[in-house]
Amino acid sequence: MPDNLAENLASTPRAGTADALANSFATSYAGVVAFLAVADEGSFAKASDRLGIGRSAVSRNVQKLEAQLDARLFLRTTRSTSLTREGELFYRNCHPGVERIVQAIEDMRELRNGPPRGQLRIASTTGFGRKVVAPLLRGFHETYPEIALELSLDEGPPDFTSGRVDVALRDGRMEDSQVVARQLIPMQMIVCATPGYAREHGLPRSVEALAEHRCINFRMASGRVADWEFKVSGHPQKITPHAFATFNDADLVLQAVLEGQGVAQLAGYQACDALRDGRLVACLAQHAPDDRGHYVCYLSRRQLPARIRVFVDYLTEHARALDLDCLSTLPVQAAR
């Protein structure tokens, strides 16, 4: 939100009592901005910090709005602030419009002030963020030094609204009509083990044969163990093998496989380097599932802020240059 926007609107001189539309707009918009900030932050104090105005001004603007709507928007206690049912409905209806106005103001500032600048908040799954996203941030910052970067690694779904996430990197496309999902690189799932494990235990020749091996599973943020995905006789097939070990961090799964502890289905970006230098071998390549894709996601806007646009373009160009497509080399490596 632009600094002092709510306070400035609230203090805008009125043209006269005859102009009811202007009076209503000045009161309503300041109240809506304050209302949205409180709803996003969960408290009046945090909303006042976000807007750069006093807590009393935030409370006053919300109270004027409630009086104008003749509806109570918040349930307030000494410990919490939550939306009423009317408040939830009003939030859903107002938020897109105010975001567009704020975006229009930011676009004009960027146009006037020159090079892309400002805070860019990025959310990514943990393994992909460490392996692909984080190593590219230094080069991006050297190219766009006036953009401050914040990268958060989390397996959970991104919160573009209250979390104020600008760009998210997800494994698989997001099912949200308001989110633009642009495929960054393929997401190939490959069953891997070390050559030492293969010599001692052999490698599974079929999906069913995985039951005879020491499998290592990945537990997702939801608490559910991730399925292993395959394509058998042209049809998708998912299994959750009995696990010798389970981790909730993709890097720990990879480390366990590299130590020869067992077999795991890894994303291509994790396994490619180790497959190419012989530290890992692949199996069941003939049953590799369809590409799910790693996607760069952002909220659908008619005019993207320059800081988001240049980051998406930079990340797309440099991530694709990493050449993480290793399925074509799997038969040779598996044969070795």
Side-chain angles (χ1 to χ4, degrees), residues 4 7 34 44-45 47-49 51-61:
N4 299 327
E7 187 175 55
F44 282 77
S48 69
D49 291 339
L51 295 174
I53 61 177
R55 180 175 178 177
S56 60
V58 174
S59 180
R60 185 168 58 251
N61 287 333

Side-chain angles (χ1 to χ4, degrees), residues 189 207 228-238 265 284-291:
M189 302 303 296
V207 174
W228 293 30
E229 300 183 15
F230 300 96
K231 196 169 187 178
V232 180
S233 301
H235 300 287
Q237 181 176 335
K238 295 182 179 182
Q265 188 174 57
L284 301 179
Q286 72 277 21
H287 296 309
D290 290 336
D291 172 23

Side-chain angles (χ1 to χ4, degrees), residues 246-313:
T246 302
F247 301 96
N248 68 347
D249 186 297
D251 285 347
L252 293 179
V253 175
L254 172 62
Q255 186 61 37
V257 176
L258 288 171
E259 290 173 355
Q261 295 185 39
V263 177
Q265 188 174 57
L266 302 172
Y269 74 84
Q270 289 182 284
C272 271
D273 289 345
L275 286 168
R276 287 174 179 143
D277 63 23
R279 287 177 294 151
L280 292 179
V281 293
C283 58
L284 301 179
Q286 72 277 21
H287 296 309
D290 290 336
D291 172 23
R292 289 173 54 196
H294 294 284
Y295 287 84
V296 55
C297 307
Y298 47 90
L299 284 180
S300 177
R301 295 170 175 172
R302 181 166 296 182
Q303 296 294 332
L304 271 183
R307 66 184 185 279
I308 296 179
R309 186 176 63 253
V310 296
F311 179 76
V312 169
D313 290 344

Side-chain angles (χ1 to χ4, degrees), residues 35 38-39 42-44 55 62 66 71-88:
F35 162 75
V38 175
S43 80
F44 282 77
R55 180 175 178 177
V62 171
E66 288 179 321
R72 191 176 183 183
L73 301 177
F74 290 107
L75 295 173
R76 305 172 180 87
T77 68
T78 56
R79 294 186 178 182
S80 66
T81 300
S82 59
L83 290 169
T84 63
R85 294 182 63 181
E86 292 82 2
E88 291 175 354

Side-chain angles (χ1 to χ4, degrees), residues 14-69:
R14 297 187 176 185
T17 55
D19 195 343
L21 178 61
N23 293 343
S24 174
F25 179 81
T27 302
S28 298
Y29 191 68
V32 169
V33 172
F35 162 75
L36 290 175
V38 175
D40 287 343
E41 299 296 338
S43 80
F44 282 77
K46 291 180 180 178
S48 69
D49 291 339
R50 179 175 174 182
L51 295 174
I53 61 177
R55 180 175 178 177
S56 60
V58 174
S59 180
R60 185 168 58 251
N61 287 333
V62 171
Q63 288 173 2
K64 288 181 179 179
L65 179 64
E66 288 179 321
Q68 191 174 32
L69 298 176

Side-chain angles (χ1 to χ4, degrees), residues 57-202:
V58 174
S59 180
R60 185 168 58 251
N61 287 333
V62 171
Q63 288 173 2
K64 288 181 179 179
L65 179 64
E66 288 179 321
Q68 191 174 32
L69 298 176
D70 193 22
R72 191 176 183 183
L73 301 177
F74 290 107
L75 295 173
R76 305 172 180 87
T77 68
T78 56
R79 294 186 178 182
S80 66
T81 300
S82 59
L83 290 169
T84 63
R85 294 182 63 181
E86 292 82 2
E88 291 175 354
L89 175 62
F90 193 66
Y91 181 91
R92 288 197 301 269
N93 289 335
C94 285
H95 192 269
V98 174
E99 283 293 302
R100 290 190 182 96
I101 294 172
V102 171
Q103 187 57 54
I105 294 172
E106 290 183 354
D107 288 347
M108 291 303 100
R109 285 177 174 172
E110 289 180 346
L111 184 64
R112 182 178 68 249
N113 296 335
R117 64 182 65 200
Q119 182 83 14
L120 185 70
R121 293 180 174 86
I122 309 155
S124 175
T125 51
T126 305
F128 191 77
R130 287 175 180 161
K131 176 70 175 180
V132 178
V133 182
L136 297 178
L137 296 186
R138 179 176 179 179
F140 176 80
H141 185 67
E142 291 173 350
T143 306
Y144 300 100
E146 295 187 57
I147 298 179
L149 300 172
E150 180 181 331
L151 174 62
S152 298
L153 303 181
D154 190 349
E155 297 298 329
D159 190 337
F160 288 98
T161 304
S162 59
R164 286 178 274 171
V165 170
D166 295 306
V167 179
L169 287 307
R170 310 314 298 170
D171 302 335
R173 188 165 186 167
M174 294 185 62
E175 298 299 328
D176 188 332
S177 61
Q178 295 195 2
V179 174
V180 176
R182 174 173 164 184
Q183 183 164 346
L184 192 63
I185 59 173
M187 184 178 179
Q188 301 165 336
M189 302 303 296
I190 308 163
V191 179
C192 302
T194 60
Y197 179 93
R199 286 191 297 270
E200 184 175 352
H201 302 283

